[in-house]
Amino acid sequence: MPELPEVETVRRGLQPVLEGATIMRVEARRPDLRFPFPEKFSQRLTGKTITALGRRAKYLTMELDGGPVLICHLGMSGSFRIETEDDSHLPGIFHHDRSKSSSHDHVVFHVASPAGARSRVIFNDPRRFGFMLFAEGAAEDHPMLAGLGVEPTGNRLDGTLIASLMKGRRSPLKAALLDQRLIAGLGNIYVSEALWRSSLSPLREAGTIAKPGKKAKAQSERLAEAIRSVISDAIAAGGSSLRDYMQTDGSLGYFQHSFAVYDREGEPCPKPGCGGHVERIVQSGRSTFYCRTCQR
């Protein structure tokens, strides 16, 4: 499943082509993805100018002059591909390759820039777990987005806020961090990485970092900093690949080469002086990677 950094780099890759562009035509090549397309989907988009391309958690938002707002989710296998007269590329960073088969091209946006340059922006989704919906008002008021927690990308996510979110929770810390009602956009990969950076076990009770005292305060502050830094590093890795990328090959991001623990079962822990090894356990049906020696 694409996580926040992947979705953010998709947004950044689409932004130069879509923001300010006019949608000339939309091809919806099937009636649905995960959900049916909204009524008069293509007709309501045709002729609209895209005023802003945003992101909330793992959702892309496309604001149109006069409304509505288009909300897009990549699902497990979705990606956008940009085709111009001179180039074809797939913006984003993905741990697993993305399909380039035209048989899975389900939605095609034909757009024109203010200068008149024409492009096709194609949504490809083999498993069809992605979706596109309309928000008639503000995107954040749509039921899909209304209950989401704080974004993990700004200074608002600090130790004090982390402690308030975790206070009294007896669930494992990793499970609490994956709760989108608390912190929006964190997924399996980056939670594992953030917990390793903060030297906290994914198995400990979430509420233990919210107890009174200096020790818990330091733990919550370390975790907040680790979350912000791992997300920032992953976005930066995707950004560098977007600048360098010319042709579609489906492997755009470099952060996967910097994983400390994720998908590294049996390897030595990379923390200096640790001496432990990365283990894999299963929590709530998902793989968790951590070092029991340095993560307590």
Side-chain angles (χ1 to χ4, degrees):
M1 179 79 73
E3 298 191 22
L4 187 153
E6 287 84 356
V7 178
E8 175 61 18
T9 51
V10 169
R11 186 194 70 80
R12 294 183 185 189
L14 292 173
Q15 192 173 28
V17 173
L18 289 182
E19 277 196 353
T22 298
I23 301 174
M24 309 303 293
R25 182 164 60 95
V26 177
E27 298 176 58
R29 296 179 172 176
R30 54 176 300 110
D32 58 10
L33 293 170
R34 180 177 172 185
F35 308 121
F37 287 112
E39 187 176 353
K40 297 183 179 179
F41 176 72
S42 298
Q43 296 94 315
R44 295 191 66 188
L45 293 172
T46 300
K48 296 283 189 175
T49 297
I50 301 167
T51 58
L53 194 68
R55 179 196 55 76
R56 177 71 168 104
K58 302 176 187 179
Y59 299 86
L60 289 170
T61 60
M62 187 186 297
E63 297 187 18
L64 307 169
D65 63 315
V69 179
L70 180 62
I71 298 174
C72 305
H73 195 285
L74 298 176
M76 297 187 71
S77 62
S79 62
F80 284 95
R81 186 172 74 253
I82 301 170
E83 292 186 352
T84 64
E85 292 181 357
D86 304 320
D87 190 17
S88 173
H89 61 279
L90 184 148
I93 58 172
F94 301 105
H95 186 53
H96 300 290
D97 289 350
R98 283 305 191 250
S99 168
K100 297 177 284 292
S101 171
S102 61
S103 64
H104 303 303
D105 290 348
H106 301 311
V107 184
V108 181
F109 298 88
H110 299 260
V111 301
S113 72
R118 301 295 179 100
S119 303
R120 299 198 319 156
V121 177
I122 302 159
F123 183 68
N124 181 293
D125 188 3
R127 300 184 70 177
R128 302 200 304 274
F129 286 165
F131 57 80
M132 295 184 184
L133 301 173
F134 286 149
E136 301 300 338
E140 58 265 26
D141 294 332
H142 190 278
M144 286 287 184
L145 279 64
L148 294 175
V150 64
E151 286 277 326
T153 52
N155 289 332
R156 183 185 172 197
L157 187 73
D158 58 13
T160 301
L161 180 57
I162 284 277
S164 69
L165 295 173
M166 299 297 128
K167 186 175 181 179
R169 295 186 178 273
R170 302 190 64 179
S171 60
L173 181 55
K174 186 191 175 193
L177 292 174
L178 289 173
D179 188 339
Q180 300 299 297
R181 298 167 298 179
L182 302 178
I183 303 174
L186 290 183
N188 201 38
I189 293 174
Y190 298 109
V191 168
S192 290
E193 292 295 307
L195 287 171
W196 177 82
R197 290 190 183 195
S198 58
S199 299
L200 294 171
S201 170
L203 297 168
R204 65 153 59 216
E205 283 190 10
T208 59
I209 67 169
K211 292 181 176 180
K214 292 182 179 180
K215 182 178 180 180
K217 185 174 187 293
Q219 290 171 340
S220 63
E221 288 176 348
R222 285 203 317 268
L223 179 56
E225 170 58 29
I227 291 170
R228 293 197 308 268
S229 68
V230 76
I231 294 294
S232 177
D233 289 349
I235 291 173
S240 66
S241 70
L242 287 173
R243 286 193 295 272
D244 296 340
Y245 187 68
M246 295 300 293
Q247 297 296 324
T248 299
D249 68 4
S251 55
L252 300 177
Y254 298 120
F255 191 75
Q256 63 262 36
H257 304 304
S258 301
F259 289 159
V261 290
Y262 186 82
D263 209 18
R264 297 193 182 280
E265 181 182 9
E267 297 184 17
C269 175
K271 193 165 292 181
C274 172
H277 286 76
V278 177
E279 298 181 31
R280 175 187 173 273
I281 59 174
V282 177
Q283 292 179 287
S284 302
R286 297 183 181 184
S287 293
T288 294
F289 298 89
Y290 81 115
C291 172
R292 70 169 66 238
T293 301
C294 66
Q295 291 180 248
R296 302 295 180 88

